Amino acid sequence: STTPAMFGYGMGITGSEFSGNSASAGAGGAIYAYLGTLNLDGVLLDGNTASQQGGGMYLLGTGRLTIANSTIQGNTAGDVGGGLVVFDRNIVLNDVEAINNTSSYNGGFLVASNGSFSGSHLNVRGNQVTNNGGGAGMYLYDVDANIVNSVLAGNDVPSAIIIAPSAIYYHSTGAAQLFLHYVTIAANTG
């Protein structure tokens, strides 16, 4: 398919699986959402692909994204955000596993820009950036971020990249801040 498996405005999804979907002409391999609130609970995003951004999910426009008790694994993006790409949203992730997602450039698991991010009990492991860029675990740009009781381990960026952190790439052009509380960052390479 050239389009995502699901497109919408303001959704709630519980106990569902999105596997093997493809957006060969753009973004959001499994889910593409615009504006509004998106709540996921007990959801599996597995093995989805996007030729550009957000192998698992692409979200654009103001609103809120909440993901709880879910797994995001094995998703691939040809550009950025192997697992998720989220612009202009408040993001809350609680009890989420993000494993073995891949992007060519930034954010093997997550690219988030212009909003807020709250993560608790995250297991972010084995995500990769394969070509050029940083933040194989997370790429956060102008995002107020607070991460607690989480693990970022075994994430990888190409070793030829100069100053490209493998676990978290964080950039703020203004007042946005990153806070880490009881977070383990280990065995990330690049």
Side-chain angles (χ1 to χ4, degrees):
S1 167
T2 60
T3 60
M6 179 174 233
F7 176 87
Y9 306 87
M11 298 179 276
I13 303 169
T14 303
S16 300
E17 179 177 331
F18 294 84
S19 296
N21 299 291
S22 177
S24 60
I31 299 171
Y32 186 113
Y34 183 74
L35 299 174
T37 297
L38 176 60
N39 296 313
L40 305 177
D41 191 357
V43 171
L44 173 64
L45 296 176
D46 182 21
N48 301 289
T49 61
S51 62
Q52 295 174 15
Q53 301 178 11
M57 184 185 319
Y58 181 87
L59 299 126
L60 177 64
T62 59
R64 182 179 176 98
L65 168 66
T66 302
I67 303 176
N69 310 307
S70 296
T71 300
I72 301 164
Q73 67 184 17
N75 300 289
T76 303
D79 190 8
V80 300
L84 308 173
V85 170
V86 183
F87 293 112
D88 304 319
R89 289 198 177 235
N90 297 320
I91 306 164
V92 178
L93 304 182
N94 188 20
D95 290 315
V96 172
E97 288 197 344
I99 302 168
N100 298 329
N101 297 288
T102 303
S103 69
S104 292
Y105 298 100
N106 295 316
F109 161 52
L110 169 70
V111 168
S113 178
N114 300 319
S116 66
F117 177 85
S118 175
S120 175
H121 298 97
L122 306 178
N123 182 12
V124 180
R125 295 179 185 267
N127 299 287
Q128 290 186 313
V129 170
T130 59
N131 191 0
N132 187 3
M138 298 179 193
Y139 184 96
L140 305 173
Y141 189 90
D142 277 342
V143 173
D144 273 319
N146 187 20
I147 303 170
V148 299
N149 298 322
S150 297
V151 175
L152 290 97
N155 300 290
D156 181 64
V157 296
S159 59
I161 305 303
I162 299 171
I163 309 175
S166 52
I168 300 173
Y169 177 96
Y170 186 80
H171 181 83
S172 174
T173 60
Q177 297 181 1
L178 170 65
F179 295 98
L180 303 174
H181 308 278
Y182 306 104
V183 174
T184 299
I185 299 176
N188 298 285
T189 58

